[in-house]
């Protein structure tokens, strides 16, 4: 073999190797591009899914805030009603106590005296008229006690 043929033969082998390497390089580039495209699509899908989830969570949060606000308003209304009822209960208890005292005073009962019973024929209006002064006194005491309790 002559040197020219050897060089040509060597050149063709090198060209074949280069062509083979170029083909591998080209295939790798195509594969990398395809992989990058899939990665971008996957990332885009993930971003869209996160955006959808964010929207869903924001709607859920808005709904929960609305429900919480409604329940809080209901709680405040119940709390106000309970406060009114507690005050009314105290007022009625005090009034009942005053009425018990009034009845005891009218009947002349004391803590140590034996209990008398009302005569069946007593006119209730007589009891009311007789006790008006004592009731006013008890009412004044009640108001004073109520003011003390509120302070």
């Amino acid at each position: 073999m002559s040197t020219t043929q050897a060089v040509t033969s060597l050149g063709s082998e090198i060209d074949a190797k280069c062509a083979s390497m170029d083909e591998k390089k080209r295939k790798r580039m195509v594969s990398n591009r395809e992989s990058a495209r899939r990665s971008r699509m996957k990332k885009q899908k993930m971003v869209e899914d996160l955006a959808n989830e964010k929207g869903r969570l924001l709607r859920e949060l808005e709904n929960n805030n609305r429900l919480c606000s409604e329940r809080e308003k209901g709680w405040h209304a119940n709390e106000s009603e309970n406060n009114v009822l507690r005050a009314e209960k105290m007022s009625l208890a005090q009034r009942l106590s005053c009425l018990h005292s009034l009845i005891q005073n009218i009947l002349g009962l004391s803590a140590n005296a034996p209990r008398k019973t009302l005569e069946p024929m007593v006119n209730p209006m007589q009891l009311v008229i007789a006790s008006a002064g004592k009731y006013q006194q008890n009412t004044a005491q009640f108001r004073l006690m109520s003011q003390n309790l509120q302070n």
Side-chain angles (χ1 to χ4, degrees):
M1 243 202 253
S2 72
T3 51
T4 355
Q5 283 179 343
V7 170
T8 307
S9 169
L10 187 58
S12 349
E13 285 178 27
I14 291 174
D15 285 342
K17 282 184 183 178
C18 283
S20 171
M21 283 179 61
D22 285 344
E23 183 62 24
K24 285 181 183 177
K25 194 174 185 180
R26 188 188 64 74
K27 284 181 181 179
R28 193 173 339 111
M29 281 177 45
V30 168
S31 175
N32 285 348
R33 284 182 186 146
E34 186 62 29
S35 176
R37 185 183 67 78
R38 284 192 307 268
S39 180
R40 284 189 304 273
M41 289 176 65
K42 183 178 177 182
K43 184 177 179 180
Q44 182 180 359
K45 170 100 169 79
M46 190 166 48
V47 167
E48 288 173 359
D49 289 347
L50 288 173
N52 290 338
E53 185 176 2
K54 176 187 173 188
R56 181 187 62 79
L57 290 172
L58 286 174
R59 286 188 302 276
E60 185 177 339
L61 178 63
E62 184 179 317
N63 187 42
N64 288 341
N65 285 339
R66 182 183 49 77
L67 289 174
C68 183
S69 177
E70 288 174 5
R71 288 181 180 150
E72 189 175 0
K73 286 177 186 175
W75 179 82
H76 285 298
N78 288 342
E79 189 67 22
S80 295
E81 185 179 358
N82 283 344
N83 289 337
V84 168
L85 290 173
R86 283 186 196 107
E88 188 177 342
K89 175 188 169 191
M90 287 176 37
S91 172
L92 290 173
Q94 187 63 36
R95 188 170 178 196
L96 180 62
S97 176
C98 289
L99 290 174
H100 281 276
S101 296
L102 181 66
I103 290 172
Q104 286 179 344
N105 288 340
I106 291 172
L107 296 176
L109 297 177
S110 68
N112 298 330
R115 301 202 94 186
K116 295 181 183 178
T117 59
L118 275 176
E119 294 179 22
M121 298 305 286
V122 173
N123 184 347
M125 281 307 290
Q126 290 174 339
L127 290 175
V128 171
I129 293 169
S131 64
K134 189 67 175 172
Y135 177 74
Q136 288 175 350
Q137 180 185 0
N138 288 340
T139 303
Q141 289 174 350
F142 169 69
R143 286 188 184 127
L144 182 62
M145 288 173 55
S146 294
Q147 289 173 352
N148 290 338
L149 287 175
Q150 289 175 352
N151 293 333

